[in-house]
Amino acid sequence: MRWSYNLERSYVAAIWLGGVALLVFLMVVVGGATRLTGSGLSITEWKPVTGVFPPLSAHAWALEFSKYQHIPQYQRVNLGLSLGGFKSLYWWEWTHRLLGRLVGAAILIPMAVLLFMGRIPRRLIWRCGVILALVALEGLVGWWMVKSGLDTRISVAPERLAAHLSVALLIFCVCVWTALEAWFGRTRASFGADRRWVIGSMGVVVLAFGQMMLGALVAGNKAGQVYTDWPLMAGKFVPKDYARKGAGWWETFAHNPAAVQFNHRMGGYLLFVVVVVFAVAIWRTPRTLAPIRQLSLALAVVVTIQ
């Protein structure tokens, strides 16, 4: 049998990477639920291999609960939590970590098989390797994030939460990008001779990514309900406590709830305006391909709904 990597398309590789993207999406959703339920610090150790098994006996559960009782979150937030309450927290975090391990397996095992069979186009092999490296990095960043909440804090550091989400988003984007190219073949100049749309679309991607990072800072600081009026913030455009006396720029940007919420609001406005202007410009340009027009309209609609 002869194997060849000189493929223009590979439907099996596209389906594989699309499935990985869906798994990453599910992991992010479960991660959001883990955050909302305050479960992220319930597992206080990182055991990449043996951690796949949850506590299987009453003694094992008591031991895990004892470890949690020694961290600040229990002592200052959840003091008196029952073992049953701890188990509900534990299962969310365990499921989130299990999905992370499944993503790693879903990349590594099929990749090895498809490489052996020659079913990954040569030009995409390096990109699959990048995905695998990002998945490994995600595990490290995840533990780095959790570790920030075990000593003195009652929750993880907001900037580390944003970093953890950013790697997950990169994995998702590279999976989708590579899957599409594996399905349709080598990327071609579908925007025509006018490369402004390519540059513009990349700008939209960067803005959207930045807005999601600002959202992670909102979540990390629990800043979403600091100001509950809109469009002003306690009657002012810029909240009066945006900058605290003596606070540095990073403390303000990443740790001041008022500033974090304001920045996230402004980022949303900016992204909305840019996407709408971008879509209008595409529709007003003669000879723009129909799929590009349709996608720009869909993007504008989604951003408006968001």
Side-chain angles (χ1 to χ4, degrees):
M1 181 181 295
R2 295 181 60 189
W3 293 295
S4 174
Y5 295 101
N6 297 318
L7 304 172
E8 178 63 18
R9 303 180 182 182
S10 176
Y11 296 125
V12 65
I15 294 171
W16 158 54
L17 291 169
V20 172
L22 287 175
L23 197 56
V24 172
F25 180 84
L26 177 61
M27 186 181 73
V28 172
V29 171
V30 173
T34 301
R35 176 70 192 175
L36 289 173
T37 56
S39 306
L41 298 178
S42 58
I43 301 179
T44 59
E45 295 177 321
W46 188 42
K47 300 177 179 178
V49 179
T50 59
V52 71
F53 301 105
L56 299 176
S57 66
H59 174 73
W61 275 114
L63 181 61
E64 288 296 318
F65 190 26
S66 175
K67 294 174 184 177
Y68 178 69
Q69 290 173 319
H70 284 83
I71 71 172
Q73 186 184 76
Y74 173 82
Q75 297 166 359
R76 291 155 53 187
V77 178
N78 290 330
L79 188 64
L81 180 73
S82 67
L83 178 59
F86 169 72
K87 287 181 178 181
S88 66
L89 299 180
Y90 187 97
W91 283 120
W92 275 115
E93 176 65 7
W94 180 83
T95 301
H96 183 54
R97 295 193 186 192
L98 178 64
L99 284 171
R101 292 180 173 93
L102 289 177
V103 169
I107 284 289
L108 181 60
I109 298 173
M111 182 178 173
V113 173
L114 293 177
L115 280 174
F116 179 75
M117 296 176 62
R119 302 310 301 168
I120 301 178
R122 188 182 300 276
R123 70 183 187 281
L124 300 181
I125 292 176
W126 70 272
R127 214 180 292 171
C128 294
V130 168
I131 296 172
L132 182 61
L134 286 173
V135 171
L137 177 64
E138 177 73 330
L140 292 173
V141 173
W143 174 242
W144 177 63
M145 175 190 70
V146 170
K147 200 172 186 303
S148 68
L150 298 180
D151 296 325
T152 59
R153 297 178 56 90
I154 61 173
S155 60
V156 300
E159 60 270 35
R160 298 192 187 189
L161 175 65
H164 190 47
L165 177 62
S166 71
V167 178
L169 292 174
L170 283 174
I171 295 170
F172 179 81
C173 291
V174 178
C175 282
V176 172
W177 174 32
T178 308
L180 289 173
E181 191 163 331
W183 186 273
F184 292 104
R186 190 179 301 274
T187 302
R188 292 180 173 83
S190 58
F191 285 86
D194 194 344
R195 296 184 61 82
R196 291 179 299 174
W197 306 138
V198 177
I199 297 172
S201 62
M202 292 305 299
V204 169
V205 169
V206 171
L207 277 177
F209 188 88
Q211 175 65 356
M212 284 184 272
M213 293 305 98
L214 291 175
L217 292 178
V218 170
N221 285 280
K222 297 183 179 178
Q225 295 181 334
V226 173
Y227 290 95
T228 57
D229 53 332
W230 183 86
L232 300 179
M233 304 175 75
K236 297 181 179 296
F237 179 70
V238 180
K240 62 180 181 180
D241 52 346
Y242 181 91
R244 295 170 178 168
K245 186 176 181 180
W249 74 269
W250 182 252
E251 181 68 20
T252 297
F253 177 79
H255 294 275
N256 182 349
V260 166
Q261 192 192 103
F262 176 81
N263 294 340
H264 187 53
R265 288 190 183 194
M266 295 305 106
Y269 299 151
L270 177 62
L271 180 62
F272 172 76
V273 170
V274 168
V275 167
V276 171
V277 170
F278 183 62
V280 170
I282 287 178
W283 276 83
R284 294 187 62 182
T285 301
R287 297 188 301 276
T288 303
L289 297 178
I292 303 304
R293 292 190 175 204
Q294 295 164 1
L295 285 172
S296 68
L297 178 60
L299 179 62
V301 169
V302 169
V303 170
T304 301
I305 293 172
Q306 173 72 349

